[in-house]
Amino acid sequence: MDTTAQRKMETERPEPSGPSQSASPRLTLSGISKSFPGVRALHNVSLSLYPGQVTALIGENGAGKSTLVKIMTGIYQPDSGEISIDGQATTLPSAHAAFGHGITAIHQETVLFDDLSVAENIFLGHAPRTRLGTIDWRTMRKNAREVLETMRAGHIDADARLKDLGIANKHLVAVARAMSIDARIVIMDEPTAALSMKEIEELFLLIEFLKSEGKAVLFISHKFDEIYRIADRYTVFRDGEMVGEGLLKDTSQNEIVRMMVGRNVDHIFPRREPKIGAPVLSVSGLSHPTEFDDIGFELRKGEILGFYGLVGAGRSEVMQAIAGITRTSRGAISLDGQPIAPKSAADSIEAGIVYVPEERGKQGVVIGLPIFQNVSLPSLARTSKSGVLKLAEEFTLARSYTERLDLRASSLSQDVGTLSGGNQQKVVIAKWLATAPKVIILDEPTKGIDIGSKAAVHGFMAELVAQGLSVIMVSSELPEILGMSDRVVVMREGRVAATYDNKGLDAETLVRTAAGIAA
Amino acid sequence: MKSFLKYREIWLLAGIVVLIGLISTRFPGFADPANLRQVFNDTSILMILALGQMVVILTRSIDLSMASNLCFTGMVVAMLNAAHPAIPTPALIVIALLVGLVLGAINGFLVWRLNIPSIVVTLGTLTIYRGATFVVSGGAWVNADQMSPDFINFQRVVLLGLPVLSWIALLVIALFFLVMTRTAIGRSIYAIGVNPTASVYAGIDVGRTKFIVFCISGMIGGLAGYLWISRYVIASVEVANGYELNIIAACVIGGISIAGGIGSVGGAVLGALFLGIISNALPVINISPFWQMAISGSAIILAVVLNARGERRQGRIILRKAEAA
């Protein structure tokens, strides 16, 4: 860190007060509009960021948050509206210009360079130079260490390759980079999405540090507990418009939710009368050389079995093994009492186990193919005879399942890409139901989707089990686990830590078990 | 997407019609049905090869070894014919298909089992197969006088107004159309090209499907080997040297996305026809072959620009209002 920055830290340290109304905003966006061909992404939105305060930007998926971030970082140009920094009107014609104004963004998946060292990542683009104009490596390493020290992140080796660090430490490096350019406005776009509880705590400490340094922070997250925990102010977007802003301490969660969705949504989990029958799927001693060991559990007919654990506890890996996508080294799986050994996803689907992965876009729908072809994709073996497709049967299959789910589309030959997110989700569900499964494994079924869609997914899960299917739900969201599961399996570091009946089960127990803390 | 694809092919077809119209102003006989039949026949081999390449490109792969496969297989059948003129031509065609299949299977195996990127595998086999041609032939040529009359004339027999070569092209086109639209493998080829991850979860074996497409392109390369040798009546190590680029060009002009998943049989055929018309017409209207290269090159870039614009159109829909519209 150079001396001017250091001096700044000492002199500019603001009084450790909470949000104060009197402070003037560091960055003000007003009347910003941005359209893309045929789409109005932002309409007349405003946003103010104050020094030493965290502003939460809240909105459902597609509310225009990412577009705004891109405008603030100089990647998009607004069609109209004003940007002012410290009261001075300005423009951000390029990413470089935004950088010059001290605006920096930390994304969900950090955009740093895996093969460069920590020091290089921190100083990329503004590395200290020698008199000859070459990079002054010694000073760079020294400065990098200093920046990390000031952030109480001295445990990070400035010479380590970035790829050898965990996500949380990568975030630290990203913040160190922000510090090194003397960033004054820090944008955090869902920084907690891939972090475990402990790492989130570390990130919050870091945000507190940024606040104490007088940085203006924009915090984007779907999670209310995080927002209330760390932010001072909020701004709510809905459908590309700003619908509310203010101080969080004066506003209840319900008020904000109402602003987000434009209606009252009481997120109540569907009430069910579980009719639990005989075991359908039993797994014992399932092991993988590197990912999990000695996994055993039983899934019964009509049951929702929750799988809870920290990110990286091996839950998805176990499910992928059961679904035949990865191989196991040992262990037995039986379905309806018959031992099965799926060698491919096709085997599992044939047996009646389907795995619905997270990330609808990447792993779910096949954009570019029409709806009916998406629905029939896992069922091709049934809708064809010796490799020749029976198109009429394919259509019938697609029609019956899309109708059951009330899919809104003008024709089944329409490209799925033209459907809205919610309708795409229905296509994904229809596609798996069409395989007539006995067991459905849903991996993070509501991750990153808005509240309205979440309720629909939960209602649908309740319907599935009511029809006698069995569901395994992998989720990292405690309310969802507690609200939906009949029983909960908690995994820790690739092993089953405990299995609970969801009767009077509390969140604390689950978190403690997942983190391995004794009660 | 379907209607949009049709839309794109209609534009390509319109472009071809305009091209023929323009050429006719300089060379009135060009649009004559007899001449157009001739152009189609001349382009048959390229069309067949473009279809073989298309299925590979659809799976996000590429087969650079097709022209070398053609050269090797052509040499093998020519030498067989020279040594054993008694072997009937249809049997030689079957042999060509099988030899091509083996060469394609080698590519496919390396891509599937060893997980090597197809561009690297086929860049290697491009050289290997041509080198193998040298090894089997000892560098010698097989000339017209060494080939049996039946071997040479088989593709020239006129049936119902069209030579057998054209009929073979039409048969291959029909076959590919059926495979791509009416079979599970055709569907899988599109699916893994558009979204490989989702395809894995849907129970499609991506590796095996890639192996199959390389077998297909190999068989097509083999078939084209016989057709080429018997058409130009010479087999040498130099046959179709560099032709893999024409094949890929035909696919690109035909709207087959190099990124995989997008493209159709009609597009590949029209892309090949476009190149065929250019190479047929320009010499007769006295345009230098260098212009011919420039025109094909421009067509490739134009096609990519148009396709990229088309793909951009399906952007993310953010506003509810726009979604409903």
Side-chain angles (χ1 to χ4, degrees):
Chain A
M1 173 140 323
D2 61 37
T3 47
T4 51
Q6 222 153 23
R7 203 164 46 241
K8 230 170 210 158
M9 268 184 201
E10 281 150 20
T11 54
E12 256 192 44
R13 195 176 290 266
E15 64 278 27
S17 72
S20 66
Q21 292 284 38
S22 57
S24 58
R26 171 147 296 162
L27 172 84
T28 310
L29 302 173
S30 51
I32 300 281
S33 296
K34 174 74 185 172
S35 295
F36 298 101
V39 177
R40 201 180 62 170
L42 289 175
H43 180 66
N44 199 19
V45 300
S46 307
L47 176 74
S48 299
L49 301 182
Y50 296 83
Q53 295 190 18
V54 176
T55 304
L57 181 56
I58 307 169
E60 293 190 72
N61 283 346
K65 292 170 296 183
S66 318
T67 309
L68 191 77
V69 169
K70 287 188 173 148
I71 286 173
M72 291 171 68
T73 49
I75 294 164
Y76 289 161
Q77 295 308 305
D79 299 333
S80 61
E82 265 178 35
I83 301 171
S84 60
I85 294 175
D86 293 328
Q88 302 276 312
T90 186
T91 56
L92 302 170
S94 65
H96 191 75
F99 189 80
H101 280 293
I103 300 175
T104 184
I106 296 166
H107 295 276
Q108 318 181 10
E109 288 96 26
T110 46
V111 271
L112 294 169
F113 301 87
D114 268 347
D115 285 307
L116 298 184
S117 73
V118 168
E120 284 171 292
N121 268 291
I122 295 175
F123 286 100
L124 194 79
H126 60 283
R129 300 295 175 107
T130 62
R131 237 171 295 159
L132 295 172
T134 58
I135 288 175
D136 183 350
W137 289 93
R138 248 191 21 199
T139 313
M140 189 165 94
R141 277 196 208 102
K142 187 166 86 44
N143 290 353
R145 273 195 295 274
E146 279 172 15
V147 180
L148 291 169
E149 289 293 331
T150 38
M151 293 168 41
R152 294 183 214 96
H155 61 279
I156 298 177
D157 177 7
D159 293 322
R161 298 281 127 195
L162 194 76
K163 65 179 169 200
D164 298 330
L165 303 183
I167 292 183
N169 282 337
K170 285 185 186 173
H171 276 307
L172 288 173
V173 173
V175 174
R177 176 172 170 75
M179 299 295 299
S180 77
I181 58 168
D182 198 17
R184 303 184 314 147
I185 296 159
V186 180
I187 301 164
M188 299 192 144
D189 192 352
E190 296 203 38
T192 60
L195 298 186
S196 66
M197 289 290 236
K198 183 166 163 284
E199 291 168 328
I200 290 172
E201 287 306 319
E202 283 169 10
L203 183 79
F204 285 170
L205 283 179
L206 200 65
I207 294 175
E208 292 292 346
F209 169 75
L210 289 173
K211 271 171 78 169
S212 71
E213 292 288 324
K215 314 289 183 201
V217 179
L218 181 68
F219 183 78
I220 301 175
S221 175
H222 279 293
K223 297 178 185 159
F224 278 79
D225 51 341
E226 291 177 0
I227 291 165
Y228 272 87
R229 175 74 202 281
I230 199 71
D232 306 300
R233 294 170 172 275
Y234 69 88
T235 297
V236 181
F237 277 20
R238 183 176 74 230
D239 296 347
E241 291 176 28
M242 195 204 74
V243 290
E245 63 178 341
L247 294 172
L248 276 169
K249 63 177 162 90
D250 304 337
T251 318
S252 76
Q253 292 202 13
N254 276 336
E255 282 173 84
I256 291 181
V257 169
R258 221 168 294 142
M259 287 181 219
M260 280 170 67
V261 296
R263 58 186 186 272
N264 264 313
V265 171
D266 283 20
H267 193 82
I268 300 173
F269 291 95
R271 192 184 295 276
R272 310 189 282 120
E273 311 255 309
K275 286 199 194 70
I276 293 174
V280 175
L281 178 76
S282 39
V283 171
S284 63
L286 205 64
S287 303
H288 182 277
T290 56
E291 286 168 345
F292 50 84
D293 187 46
D294 197 22
I295 302 296
F297 65 88
E298 214 161 59
L299 174 70
R300 296 168 297 177
K301 191 174 166 67
E303 182 181 47
I304 297 180
L305 183 63
F307 260 74
Y308 182 73
L310 301 180
V311 171
R315 293 168 296 163
S316 299
E317 289 76 8
V318 169
M319 297 310 151
Q320 290 181 354
I322 294 169
I325 293 154
T326 51
R327 303 288 179 81
T328 53
S329 57
R330 263 181 308 117
I333 305 171
S334 66
L335 188 68
D336 284 336
Q338 300 293 314
I340 55 166
K343 287 193 183 58
S344 66
D347 284 355
S348 282
I349 293 167
E350 185 68 34
I353 300 174
V354 299
Y355 173 67
V356 183
E358 54 180 312
E359 281 191 78
R360 178 183 68 229
K362 215 168 115 201
Q363 310 183 336
V365 293
V366 182
I367 291 191
L369 290 190
I371 295 167
F372 79 94
Q373 294 188 6
N374 264 283
V375 173
S376 66
L377 203 58
S379 311
L380 282 183
R382 286 196 299 128
T383 57
S384 63
K385 199 176 173 190
S386 31
V388 179
L389 295 172
K390 293 184 275 187
L391 289 186
E393 270 185 36
E394 221 183 328
F395 251 93
T396 314
L397 183 82
R399 186 169 300 116
S400 69
Y401 284 96
T402 50
E403 269 173 12
R404 262 176 63 185
L405 292 164
D406 192 25
L407 179 83
R408 305 277 159 86
S410 55
S411 133
L412 291 180
S413 305
Q414 198 179 328
D415 177 2
V416 258
T418 63
L419 296 177
S420 69
N423 276 321
Q424 286 188 9
Q425 187 86 331
K426 287 180 187 168
V427 172
V428 173
I429 294 168
K431 132 175 155 178
W432 294 116
L433 286 185
T435 65
K438 294 173 186 145
V439 173
I440 292 195
I441 304 171
L442 299 164
D443 197 345
E444 301 285 359
T446 62
K447 184 177 169 185
I449 69 176
D450 59 68
I451 288 177
S453 310
K454 266 187 191 183
V457 170
H458 292 147
F460 186 72
M461 279 167 65
E463 224 175 274
L464 287 180
V465 286
Q467 287 169 15
L469 266 75
S470 307
V471 171
I472 294 177
M473 178 185 69
V474 175
S475 174
S476 301
E477 290 186 29
L478 284 165
E480 185 171 71
I481 286 280
L482 291 170
M484 292 303 300
S485 316
D486 296 309
R487 287 185 305 140
V488 183
V489 175
V490 181
M491 279 186 69
R492 182 176 71 237
E493 291 170 358
R495 289 186 170 80
V496 172
T499 306
Y500 297 104
D501 256 325
N502 190 7
K503 286 198 186 90
L505 187 61
D506 60 88
E508 235 176 276
T509 314
L510 289 178
V511 174
R512 271 205 309 268
T513 313
I517 306 164
Chain B
M1 200 66 220
K2 261 263 153 77
S3 64
F4 177 60
L5 273 182
K6 269 181 199 148
Y7 180 69
R8 174 155 50 196
E9 280 138 26
I10 283 171
W11 278 106
L12 185 54
L13 189 61
I16 289 175
V17 171
V18 169
L19 188 67
I20 293 173
L22 281 176
I23 296 163
S24 308
T25 61
R26 297 276 300 274
F27 179 69
F30 193 79
D32 192 69
N35 186 59
L36 291 181
R37 274 204 297 273
Q38 185 57 46
V39 171
F40 183 87
N41 199 49
D42 284 342
T43 316
S44 292
I45 295 176
L46 182 58
M47 284 190 284
I48 293 169
L49 286 164
L51 288 170
Q53 185 70 257
M54 177 191 76
V55 291
V56 178
I57 294 180
L58 281 175
T59 66
R60 302 191 173 183
S61 308
I62 198 149
D63 186 354
L64 296 175
S65 72
M66 280 187 96
S68 299
N69 177 338
L70 179 163
C71 174
F72 178 82
T73 313
M75 178 60 82
V76 168
V77 290
M79 287 171 66
L80 269 176
N81 177 250
H84 308 282
I87 301 175
T89 305
L92 283 175
I93 293 178
V94 172
I95 290 168
L97 285 165
L98 292 176
V99 172
L101 173 65
V102 169
L103 300 189
I106 293 170
N107 287 332
F109 182 81
L110 293 171
V111 170
W112 179 22
R113 285 297 175 191
L114 303 187
N115 229 337
I116 311 173
S118 59
I119 190 163
V120 178
V121 167
T122 57
L123 192 61
T125 52
L126 170 148
T127 320
I128 294 169
Y129 296 164
R130 206 166 277 281
T133 316
F134 189 88
V135 173
V136 296
S137 66
W141 296 11
V142 180
N143 288 311
D145 55 353
Q146 292 166 269
M147 297 176 194
S148 71
D150 186 50
F151 182 84
I152 295 170
N153 291 325
F154 180 79
Q155 62 155 280
R156 292 176 171 75
V157 175
V158 175
L159 288 174
L160 305 170
L162 282 178
V164 165
L165 176 59
S166 293
W167 284 114
I168 290 175
L170 288 172
L171 184 73
V172 171
I173 293 168
L175 214 61
F176 269 83
F177 182 77
L178 288 176
V179 168
M180 296 316 289
T181 59
R182 292 283 185 276
T183 66
I185 179 74
R187 185 67 55 74
S188 306
I189 288 170
Y190 278 113
I192 72 168
V194 180
N195 193 336
T197 325
S199 305
V200 170
Y201 287 114
I204 293 171
D205 190 332
V206 173
R208 199 176 132 258
T209 310
K210 286 195 177 176
F211 175 76
I212 293 170
V213 299
F214 278 100
C215 288
I216 294 173
S217 74
M219 278 174 82
I220 286 295
L223 172 67
Y226 161 73
L227 295 172
W228 185 294
I229 299 303
S230 62
R231 180 161 182 78
Y232 300 107
V233 285
I234 184 154
S236 82
V237 178
E238 288 302 305
V239 159
N241 202 356
Y243 203 69
E244 55 278 342
L245 296 183
N246 298 43
I247 305 168
I248 295 165
C251 288
V252 172
I253 292 173
I256 287 131
S257 167
I258 288 292
I262 300 172
S264 68
V265 171
V269 168
L270 290 173
L273 271 178
F274 183 89
L275 286 181
I277 290 169
I278 289 178
S279 60
N280 261 282
L282 299 194
V284 296
I285 55 176
N286 287 328
I287 292 177
S288 103
F290 299 107
W291 275 109
Q292 187 182 320
M293 289 180 192
I295 291 173
S296 332
S298 311
I300 291 171
I301 293 171
L302 189 69
V304 172
V305 169
L306 291 177
N307 293 341
R309 285 170 63 94
E311 276 153 42
R312 205 175 304 146
R313 215 173 289 171
Q314 37 165 291
R316 208 161 76 93
I317 295 171
I318 296 168
L319 285 187
R320 298 269 150 90
K321 293 153 212 162
E323 210 169 84

